[in-house]
Amino acid sequence: MTETAPSAAAETARGRNPLAFLDAEIEDFKAKGLYRRLRVVEGEQKSRCIVDGREVITLSSNNYLGLNTHPRLRSAAEAALRELGAGSGAVRTIAGTMRIHEELERRLADFKHVEAVLTFQSGFTCNTGVIPILAGESAVIVSDALNHASIIDGIRLTKAERRIFPHADMEALRSALRDVRAAPGGAERTVLVITDGVFSMDGDIARLPEIVAAAEEAEAIVYVDDAHASGVLGRNGRGSVDHFDLHGRVQVQVGTLSKAIGVLGGYVAGPASLREVLIHRARPFLFSTSHPPAVAAACLAAIDVLESEPQLIERLWENTRYFKAGLAGLGFETGASETPITPVIVGSGARAMKLSDGLFEEGVFAQGIGFPTVPEDRSRVRTIVTAEHTRAELDACLAAFETVGRALAII
């Protein structure tokens, strides 16, 4: 059989890279000063750790209470690993529901003062799994403009009408709810009001009492994502609903197991009927393997720690107040933060990355954040203090911020 030479068109097609647009995007990141490579942590995630081969004080961890290395969590995880194995083997609806998963959900329901809890693989999958269930095609979702990306993606997965109100603007929220109910057929529509409990980039707390009052007047469902309030706000870290004493008035709470709890996963807390429907319909729950038993065991131990060691949360808030006062005294802009999340707002994304890099050279790991996570002119270095930071470490961080801030003419 005689071989024929490839045509000129075939040769051209063979030489074309269909993914060349990715290289162009990377070059665009670099041109704008936004290109970042992943920092690599060696060893334990503590207030001091080894990042990219050097010891630094970290201000970029969500490990608010230091629970990821707490002896009680280590022991619980090790015991579950030996007794129950490394993995669960299946999704929850087939053979992946272990007794320890249901024990964790019962403990969380009791901890949150709700009828029932369902755990998910992450807080992100909670929002993408639950919001589409609650908001059918005829529903209306009213959402704060600064809600987390997982809420935004959860909303995108619905066919519901969307109304986004300016951040923390209660009059805009009430106006949107009045408009929905006053429109033809509005009285019968399901309305879902969604807010973060603590906003992850700015560190401010949702005006939850006003949100709940507005929603009750409009007969709307209140949905609170408490990722950064879990373990931080409320009695023993029960979250923003407990912080404002709104039990029984917030229908849906999303919590995290991977920040202050120190392990992995998320959960939805609410009525038992919600849990039952989610088991049958929530796609991330239906199509993802359940948590390894060691994860569930460590989460159970974390609840024990929250209930028996309140001094960890007290120390977190002492450190928060001290560090915020230090940044303010140096003249940095920290926005409306009320929590351990304290942004240092500097303007452009390139400037935020320079501040972050300069801090790293001074022995402080605090990640820069720019567009599209935050508006370009509100780019920042986001800091999070923890209960583990010593006063000496916080002083060293403040000294580094002063040195680099002055060098970059930020202060």
Side-chain angles (χ1 to χ4, degrees):
M1 183 175 180
T2 304
E3 294 185 4
T4 57
S7 67
E11 287 288 355
T12 300
R14 185 182 299 168
R16 186 182 301 126
N17 178 8
L19 294 177
F21 67 93
L22 296 178
D23 295 322
E25 189 162 353
I26 292 168
E27 291 306 313
D28 186 55
F29 292 149
K30 292 179 178 178
K32 293 177 179 177
L34 299 176
Y35 179 78
R36 312 302 288 169
R37 61 180 182 80
L38 296 176
R39 297 283 192 185
V40 179
V41 179
E42 300 174 31
E44 295 179 340
Q45 181 79 254
K46 305 281 283 184
S47 60
R48 283 185 182 270
C49 55
I50 306 299
V51 179
D52 288 349
R54 66 179 297 173
E55 183 178 87
V56 293
I57 304 168
T58 180
L59 292 174
S60 287
S61 172
N62 292 321
N63 186 33
Y64 289 100
L65 303 176
L67 294 191
N68 69 341
T69 56
H70 194 288
R72 291 166 74 173
L73 274 71
R74 286 187 195 270
S75 295
E78 289 169 356
L81 178 64
R82 289 192 298 269
E83 179 185 351
L84 301 171
S88 68
V91 299
R92 290 282 299 273
T93 51
I94 299 178
T97 294
M98 304 177 74
R99 183 172 298 168
I100 197 167
H101 294 131
E102 295 209 318
E103 181 184 354
L104 173 60
E105 289 166 346
R106 285 192 296 270
R107 283 291 306 280
L108 284 168
D110 181 65
F111 184 72
K112 296 289 285 185
H113 301 317
V114 297
E115 285 185 354
V117 158
L118 189 67
T119 53
F120 282 70
Q121 289 69 26
S122 68
F124 200 107
T125 57
C126 284
N127 286 326
T128 57
V130 178
I131 294 172
I133 303 301
L134 294 173
E137 190 168 351
S138 64
V140 182
I141 298 172
V142 185
S143 179
D144 189 288
L146 293 190
N147 278 340
H148 190 263
S150 59
I151 293 174
I152 294 170
D153 283 5
I155 293 171
R156 286 173 175 166
L157 290 172
T158 77
K159 295 181 180 179
E161 179 184 343
R162 303 95 187 264
R163 292 180 178 240
I164 311 301
F165 63 93
H167 176 54
D169 187 332
M170 295 298 98
E171 182 50 44
L173 168 62
R174 287 188 289 267
S175 177
L177 291 171
R178 285 193 298 266
D179 289 347
V180 169
R181 289 305 189 203
E188 289 76 38
R189 300 179 77 178
T190 296
V191 180
L192 182 61
V193 178
I194 306 182
T195 184
D196 280 352
V198 171
F199 291 88
S200 61
M201 287 297 118
D202 290 274
D204 56 324
I205 302 171
R207 296 166 65 177
L208 203 53
E210 295 174 74
I211 291 170
V212 168
E216 286 176 341
E217 184 179 337
E219 298 183 341
I221 299 165
V222 181
Y223 182 117
V224 178
D225 182 336
D226 247 358
H228 286 278
S230 300
V232 175
L233 293 181
R235 292 167 298 170
N236 301 95
R238 283 180 169 83
S240 62
V241 173
D242 189 87
H243 175 74
F244 289 113
D245 195 20
L246 293 169
H247 293 289
R249 299 175 66 189
V250 173
Q251 288 76 28
V252 184
Q253 299 178 59
V254 168
T256 183
L257 301 168
S258 52
K259 294 182 171 62
I261 302 302
V263 196
L264 176 70
Y267 62 90
V268 179
S273 57
L274 175 62
R275 183 181 190 274
E276 290 301 309
V277 171
L278 292 174
I279 286 172
H280 289 82
R281 292 187 55 204
R283 293 174 68 81
F285 180 84
L286 288 168
F287 299 108
S288 298
T289 297
S290 58
H291 284 138
V295 167
C299 290
L300 280 163
I303 299 172
D304 291 337
V305 172
L306 289 176
E307 292 181 329
S308 63
E309 299 183 35
Q311 66 271 19
L312 290 175
I313 299 176
E314 293 167 7
R315 193 180 311 140
L316 169 67
W317 282 98
E318 288 173 5
N319 284 345
T320 296
R321 288 187 288 269
Y322 183 80
F323 191 65
K324 284 183 186 295
L327 289 173
L330 291 171
F332 285 102
E333 181 187 354
T334 57
S337 174
E338 306 168 80
T339 65
I341 298 170
T342 306
V344 177
I345 301 167
V346 299
S348 72
R351 200 179 197 199
M353 302 311 165
K354 287 180 181 178
L355 175 58
S356 176
D357 290 341
L359 290 169
F360 193 79
E361 292 303 311
E362 294 291 324
V364 176
F365 177 35
Q367 192 63 274
I369 296 173
F371 183 83
T373 306
V374 296
E376 169 62 17
D377 63 350
R378 301 288 289 173
S379 296
R380 66 204 58 193
V381 165
R382 186 183 72 161
T383 70
I384 299 179
V385 299
T386 72
E388 286 198 319
H389 284 108
T390 65
R391 187 60 56 89
E393 288 172 338
L394 295 179
D395 284 339
C397 291
L398 290 169
F401 266 99
E402 181 175 18
T403 297
V404 183
R406 293 196 187 286
L408 295 176
I410 296 170
I411 54 173

